[in-house]
Amino acid sequence: QVRLAESGGGLVQAGASLKLSCVASGFPFSEFAMGWIRQAPGKERELIASTKWNAEVTYYSDSAKGRFTISKDNTENTLYLQMSSLKPEDTADYYCARDRQRRRSNVPRGIRDFNSWGQGTRVTVSS
């Protein structure tokens, strides 16, 4: 059974940094691409970052590019999202997600590429 457990969310001021973690279990973590998806209040879900199964290629949305860094530790079965220069518009529930395809040749770039999600961790950025 796929299990994804996010942590690290909280309330921070604009300009601060925060690091999210996602501990995975129940599947061969090193063979699946992973991503971070967020959903802000009243808005659709957004894929903000993803990494290929071997962690050699990453993808960032325009909103995350230059401020967020995704990393995948295949030895610890853990996915990270380092967020810096946070803005109030980054306020959202952040979810760790697993690719639906094993060893996908390309880095996933769409929400539909993912089929397993965690419970999420909430990030609130005050102005």
Side-chain angles (χ1 to χ4, degrees):
Q1 181 180 2
V2 175
R3 292 187 178 179
L4 302 169
E6 304 94 336
S7 63
L11 171 63
V12 297
Q13 292 188 330
S17 297
L18 207 57
K19 187 172 185 177
L20 307 183
S21 301
C22 170
V23 177
S25 62
F27 66 98
F29 183 75
S30 63
E31 298 191 13
F32 284 85
M34 299 292 295
W36 286 98
I37 294 167
R38 72 182 182 186
Q39 185 164 24
K43 295 189 176 180
E44 294 186 354
R45 293 176 301 175
E46 174 190 13
L47 174 64
I48 56 171
S50 61
T51 178
K52 193 175 175 180
W53 59 273
N54 57 9
E56 291 182 353
V57 183
T58 56
Y59 159 82
Y60 295 96
S61 66
D62 288 342
S63 59
K65 203 171 297 182
R67 299 188 300 125
F68 295 0
T69 302
I70 188 171
S71 59
K72 185 176 188 274
D73 187 338
N74 285 334
T75 63
E76 296 291 335
N77 285 7
T78 303
L79 183 73
Y80 299 100
L81 184 68
Q82 177 68 53
M83 305 185 292
S84 61
S85 303
L86 283 163
K87 307 174 183 180
E89 50 264 43
D90 294 318
T91 295
D93 290 325
Y94 285 72
Y95 300 90
C96 169
R98 194 204 76 172
D99 193 353
R100 64 175 63 248
Q101 182 176 332
R102 190 168 182 159
R103 293 201 175 201
R104 183 188 296 270
S105 58
N106 300 319
V107 63
R109 295 170 178 265
I111 286 180
R112 294 181 179 179
D113 291 333
F114 301 89
N115 66 349
S116 297
W117 308 69
Q119 292 300 307
T121 186
R122 179 157 292 177
V123 174
T124 304
V125 184
S126 63
S127 58

